[in-house]
Amino acid sequence: MSYERIFQPLSFRTLTIKNRIVRSNVAGRFDNYDGTGAQARINWELKFARGGVGAILSSFVPVHPRGRILPNYATIVSDDRIPFWRELGRQVHAHDCKYILQLSHGGRQRDIPTIDYPKGLSSTSKSDPLHGFECEAMTLAEINETVHAFAEGARRAREAGLDGVELHGANGYLITQFLSSAINDRGDEYGGVLENRAKFVREIVQAIRARVGRDFHLQMKISATEYNDALLPQEPPGNTLADSIRVCQWLKEDGVDAIHVSSGSSFPHPKNPAGDLPIEELRKTYDSLISSGVLTLRNYLLFVGHLTGDLFRQRWETARGPKDQIEGLNLHDARAIKEAVDTIPVICTGGFQTAAIIDEAIARGDCDAVSIARPLIANNDLVHQFANGVGRPANPCTYCNKCLVNAPENPLGCYEQSRFPSFDAMVQEILSVYRPQTFQ
Ligand SMILES: Cc1cc2nc3c(=O)[nH]c(=O)nc-3n(C[C@H](O)[C@H](O)[C@H](O)COP(=O)(O)O)c2cc1C
Ligand code: SF4
């Protein structure tokens, strides 16, 4: 079986990629505490470049020290970070793979704050309802400084020879905190009606265009539907698909070249990454977050209690929806956005690992490309498998989300032991990211 649509090149306004599968953003603690990059990140990215994806979307890359969400994530906060990204891009390009850097700021959503700043900056002073991560509402001067930091991040990515940038406007991070009707409670021109809530991200896009010009690829990842009440029904639902369609149309006018469709007003969220809540694994790793939020100790005790932990897991999985509908769960939203933005490509994330489902989604016009995270962590060579006519990997990702709950504490990798011949084999694969240890 050949899946010809998957292997057609995709042209954005200023960038062409060789096929329709991009590695979605996956953050892991591979770098140095101070946010300088490390060889392990290059090794990690090369696994996917060798595996045949058309482009790699980087992990969460903070544009400002106050935007950091965990230690050991490579940042792009200053010019001395450029040589690392240049080297990473050079090695990825050697595999005919493009590299798009995700410009990010965590706002109030910070899993383990670094030592630099006690509180996050946000659109609001309300802490988040699940973990109680505390924050302060940004002043106008802080908003301007942050807009400038995004533009400088884009300029640095360009100077590093990377192929474009993506705004992390999804999943509850700072840009979502401004866009969201459920989170943004400002009384000034950055809060209230949708047009005001979109002012922050539109200023970022305009500042990037003013700084790097029109001939550098710029895309936006957005939570098309926020489902903010999925877990906590007393919370407001947040932005609807109709709200996000309007935002995407404005962003297109402002010079965005593609939209990357996700969902959920927080990260993680039952719908993203959609899968199981591995409560046993969570009991082992959530302790590293206890000092980060005012509700984290409560949550930890909830998770370690067998009855309460199990109830929470059930609630999470009910909010997720049926397990057999994980693959392509954002396609409906992607299609609606694609119809509305018309001339710019739409990338859809969420559960993809079956070639026919991807091929048909592109054929129907639901999206132009898909982004894949966990199924590529499980099978780095998934694209080569599709090219060889394998429609679905023999040893697929189970959507167990053990990679996710290990990420704050342990190296990123596949932690589903049933996929490996032994525990040792799993650990060896996870630790392979540390070989080689030095720049080549
Ligand atoms: C461990 C892990 C880390 C992630 N880190 C990021 C990130 O840094 N930025 C981002 O936009 N999404 C991040 N995501 C979300 C993925 O990019 C992707 O959109 C989501 O997992 C759904 O795709 P999948 O079903 O192919 O995994 C992460 C997901 C996982 C599992
Ligand atoms: S741990 Fe492995 S199998 Fe489980 S969701 Fe992550 S990549 Fe998939």
Side-chain angles (χ1 to χ4, degrees), residues 374 377-378 396-403 413-416 419:
R374 295 164 300 169
I377 296 177
C397 168
T398 62
Y399 309 117
C400 70
N401 274 335
K402 292 177 187 167
C403 50
C414 181
Y415 284 79
E416 174 64 294
R419 296 193 57 258

Side-chain angles (χ1 to χ4, degrees), residues 24-27 60 102 168 221 267 272-273 349 351 373-375 412:
S24 199
N25 328 80
V26 273
F60 183 107
Q102 188 178 50
H168 198 346
K221 191 172 191 182
F267 191 81
N272 181 63
T349 196
R374 295 164 300 169
L412 185 54

Side-chain angles (χ1 to χ4, degrees), residues 28-30 403 406-407 409-415 430-431 433-434:
R29 295 180 63 176
F30 294 130
C403 50
N406 271 281
E409 194 161 284
N410 294 317
L412 185 54
C414 181
Y415 284 79
I430 292 167
L431 294 183
V433 75
Y434 295 102

Side-chain angles (χ1 to χ4, degrees), residues 291-416:
S291 62
S292 304
V294 292
L295 301 175
T296 40
L297 177 60
R298 177 207 68 180
N299 293 348
Y300 177 71
L301 295 173
L302 197 85
F303 299 151
V304 292
H306 279 273
L307 187 63
T308 47
D310 219 45
L311 283 172
F312 187 82
R313 181 186 60 73
Q314 282 169 24
R315 190 161 176 169
W316 184 276
E317 293 175 6
T318 305
R320 174 200 67 205
K323 194 164 182 188
D324 62 0
Q325 290 174 26
I326 288 176
E327 189 158 1
L329 85 168
N330 294 317
L331 275 173
H332 166 268
D333 286 4
R335 184 183 180 91
I337 289 181
K338 188 168 156 53
E339 281 167 3
V341 296
D342 190 24
T343 50
I344 61 171
V346 169
I347 303 166
C348 184
T349 196
F352 295 104
Q353 66 176 335
T354 308
I357 291 180
I358 301 169
D359 203 70
E360 283 158 20
I362 298 168
R364 276 196 309 271
D366 293 352
C367 60
D368 299 282
V370 300
S371 77
I372 304 182
R374 295 164 300 169
L376 275 167
I377 296 177
N379 288 285
N380 300 164
D381 65 346
L382 186 63
V383 176
H384 290 319
Q385 293 194 34
F386 290 166
N388 291 330
V390 177
R392 189 174 162 88
N395 192 8
C397 168
T398 62
Y399 309 117
C400 70
N401 274 335
K402 292 177 187 167
C403 50
L404 174 80
V405 302
N406 271 281
E409 194 161 284
N410 294 317
L412 185 54
C414 181
Y415 284 79
E416 174 64 294

Side-chain angles (χ1 to χ4, degrees), residues 8 14 24 84 142 175 266 286 420:
Q8 279 169 2
T14 58
S24 199
F84 169 75
E142 284 163 342
I175 293 176
S266 64
Y286 191 81
F420 296 88

